[in-house]
Amino acid sequence: MTPLLQVRDLGKSYGRHIGCADVSLDLWPGEVMGIVGESGSGKSTLLACMAGHVVPDRGQVIFDTRADGPRDTVSMSEPARRMLGRTDWAFVHQHARDGLRMGVSAGGNVGERLMAVGARHYGDIRATATDWLGRVEIDAGRIDDRPATFSGGMQQRLQIARNLVTGPRLVFMDEPTGGLDVSVQARLLDLLRGLVRRMGLSAVIVTHDLAVVRLLADRLMVMKDGRVVETGLTDQVLDDPQHGYTQLLVSSVLQV
Amino acid sequence: MSDYNFAYLDEQTKRMIRRAILKGLAVPGYQVPFASREMPMPYGWGTGGVQVTAACLVPEDRLKVIDQGADDTTNAVSIRKFFARTAGVATTAHTAEASVIQTRHRIPEVPLSEDQILVYQVPIPEPLRFLEPRETETRRMHALEDYGLMHVKLYEDIARHGAIATAYAYPVRVEGRYVMDPSPIPKFDNPKLSMAAIQLFGAGREQRIYALPPYCDVVSLDFDDFPFDPSKADAPCALCGATHTYLDEVITDDAGGRMFVCSDTDYCAGRQAAGEAAP
């Protein structure tokens, strides 16, 4: 079996400041990887480099494509990378507004990726959009409403539907529950866990919320100052942290 | 006449515009940037079309200018006078007699021939403009043929109005490659875009020129279950009785009175002169 995603010595600097450095990881099909760390630890830079939003200075991001097997997406042509970005990959932004088209109806938002890969039958597109709104627990009657009229949690669920509609194999998530209140977070996590398990998705989740990775992630990577300081199975890292920074992180969580 | 260079623009400028035109013809539907000049008329009055016309004109040409199909509206009259004065070329109102036709928002009803040039005045050349405001991004989308967003607009039309409600500036795909805004012509005219004449599009304020060579493959975008429909008002022309032409609705009084007449005044007058009258 080949890993779905192999990252090799990935590095990105902003001038003299290190964004992330010497990051390597393997992500296997169906696996969820969590990346945790404090603000400024380089986890979002790493995610952006892996997803092709930022061009890394060094390293490779090798994705196991459906057609040609493992290929380095950093050196891939831009059309090919964009095609990946709207078929096999998905990216869930922290702020739903960054990932949605606020002037376009919910149905149009979900349908955009379908139309981008060539769907040209209005009835089919609408039926798929309706189905996906149901899967993320949005009332089908809201299909023609604009996301601006949705609550924060609904916007985030709509963003997830819009991303998963083309049946991607790999999802990048940047703080998917950030900025939502606790009960909405719980519902969203429950939904995400169900979708990930049912569709057999692989995912990379960046967050500073340890509860999120405890629920969703199989494996965990802890970052500090742009470097990986500890990796391992989620429960292992959280219950028996080895690195000083991880110990600090785990002990900082408020117990209710 | 002697106070102006032929057709107002200097020769270097005309060369620059001709280069842009040739490039546009070589890459149908691609928007070629050009150094648009200040013209003695405001933006929005056809400065792009006027510059393209100036670059195309030769002294033997016969020029026709139409605005919404009519030869006698302000925009048409002033541009026709402009070239009569600065280039000294002959002008005409008859489509068949003209060698260069500058148009705003219509294609003449009479089919054009291979020895004619049709110049469009274009306000906004970018078909993706109101969907994606960033110019850098729209250029990249054109380069990568990333046109899913264009269909999102049509999807939104159907979701909101039950049909594709875009009635003018209806997006087309040229030769299976570039998505192009055919300028604000009614979608009734879209099927005519594959024609014998050379079609040139000039956008003065936006500094873009694009072109369709003769017999170019131009397809209006649509959905399988909502096919493209070149609609028009469902009535005959009140003056000439034509049922196959694009019609203007004219309000005749304050009591709801109205009539539909051909928007192409030359075509309508020709039919009336030939003895075709409303029933």
Side-chain angles (χ1 to χ4, degrees), chain B residues 24-240:
Chain B
L25 283 167
V27 193
Y30 171 70
Q31 299 167 45
V32 185
F34 80 110
S36 177
R37 298 290 193 254
E38 293 282 339
M39 297 301 284
M41 61 182 71
Y43 290 126
W45 285 73
T47 53
V50 162
Q51 290 178 76
V52 171
T53 301
C56 290
L57 279 180
V58 293
E60 299 77 35
D61 269 326
R62 188 175 287 269
L63 179 71
K64 170 183 165 81
V65 184
I66 52 175
D67 170 9
Q68 306 270 15
D71 291 277
D72 53 2
T73 48
T74 316
N75 198 210
V77 170
S78 59
I79 292 174
R80 191 162 55 232
K81 272 193 185 161
F82 174 77
F83 281 117
R85 182 152 158 218
T86 61
V89 293
T91 59
T92 179
H94 297 301
T95 305
E97 291 172 10
S99 55
V100 177
I101 303 171
Q102 179 169 338
T103 176
R104 173 172 174 269
H105 302 189
R106 266 321 300 279
I107 296 176
E109 301 290 355
V110 178
L112 301 184
S113 62
E114 289 180 2
D115 50 4
Q116 291 179 306
I117 299 176
L118 185 58
V119 178
Y120 295 78
Q121 302 169 200
V122 182
I124 295 164
E126 178 54 71
L128 302 162
R129 174 58 63 240
F130 293 110
L131 304 164
E132 173 53 65
R134 287 168 294 176
E135 176 70 17
T136 48
E137 185 61 20
T138 55
R139 283 201 212 181
R140 186 174 294 138
M141 289 162 80
H142 281 295
L144 300 176
E145 288 187 72
D146 195 353
Y147 289 134
L149 201 51
M150 207 70 246
H151 271 86
V152 172
K153 176 179 157 33
L154 301 180
Y155 170 95
E156 288 289 286
D157 262 7
I158 302 174
R160 206 168 306 156
H161 307 290
I164 298 178
T166 304
Y168 64 94
Y170 193 102
V172 294
R173 187 142 196 191
V174 181
E175 290 288 330
R177 179 60 182 84
Y178 284 98
V179 166
M180 187 189 96
D181 183 341
S183 89
I185 60 171
K187 65 177 170 183
F188 175 82
D189 282 341
N190 271 20
K192 296 188 222 161
L193 286 165
S194 294
M195 65 159 77
I198 289 177
Q199 296 169 81
L200 306 174
F201 299 77
R205 180 185 51 209
E206 304 282 328
Q207 312 199 323
R208 294 287 183 278
I209 285 172
Y210 50 106
L212 293 174
Y215 307 111
C216 201
D217 177 36
V218 182
V219 178
S220 303
L221 301 180
D222 59 3
F223 285 102
D224 296 343
D225 45 347
F226 285 86
F228 172 71
D229 170 31
S231 59
K232 65 183 269 287
D234 186 21
C237 172
L239 300 178
C240 74

Side-chain angles (χ1 to χ4, degrees), chain A residues 50-90:
Chain A
M50 286 197 283
H53 296 178
V54 170
V55 182
D57 298 332
R58 293 171 299 281
Q60 293 176 303
V61 178
I62 300 159
F63 179 72
D64 186 19
T65 58
R66 282 182 216 232
D68 309 319
R71 285 192 56 196
D72 181 16
T73 61
V74 176
S75 54
M76 189 183 259
S77 73
E78 191 168 356
R81 193 161 53 232
R82 277 219 169 187
M83 196 60 192
L84 268 187
R86 53 183 190 240
T87 53
D88 268 354
W89 287 4

Side-chain angles (χ1 to χ4, degrees), chain A residues 168-202:
Chain A
R169 292 189 294 155
L170 175 59
V171 188
F172 299 103
M173 293 191 226
D174 189 5
E175 308 261 12
T177 59
L180 300 176
D181 72 52
V182 198
S183 60
V184 175
Q185 268 192 30
R187 216 169 130 207
L188 187 70
L189 284 173
D190 196 42
L191 177 80
L192 271 178
R193 191 161 58 165
L195 286 173
V196 165
R197 293 285 176 262
R198 218 170 321 137
M199 298 176 70
L201 293 177
S202 303

Side-chain angles (χ1 to χ4, degrees), chain A residues 84-127:
Chain A
L84 268 187
R86 53 183 190 240
T87 53
D88 268 354
W89 287 4
F91 196 101
V92 177
H93 293 263
Q94 174 177 6
H95 302 292
R97 286 171 176 272
D98 297 340
L100 292 173
R101 289 192 188 279
M102 299 307 282
V104 170
S105 71
N109 265 294
V110 178
E112 182 179 348
R113 273 169 78 106
L114 293 171
M115 292 183 250
V117 295
R120 292 291 178 266
H121 191 282
Y122 175 82
D124 293 350
I125 293 167
R126 199 161 169 88

Side-chain angles (χ1 to χ4, degrees), chain A residues 25 39 41 48 113 217 227:
Chain A
L25 65 92
S39 297
S41 61
R113 273 169 78 106
R227 289 170 198 281

Side-chain angles (χ1 to χ4, degrees), chain B residues 241-257:
Chain B
T243 53
H244 58 282
T245 57
Y246 190 73
L247 302 173
D248 284 339
E249 182 181 5
V250 182
I251 307 293
T252 51
D253 55 33
D254 287 343

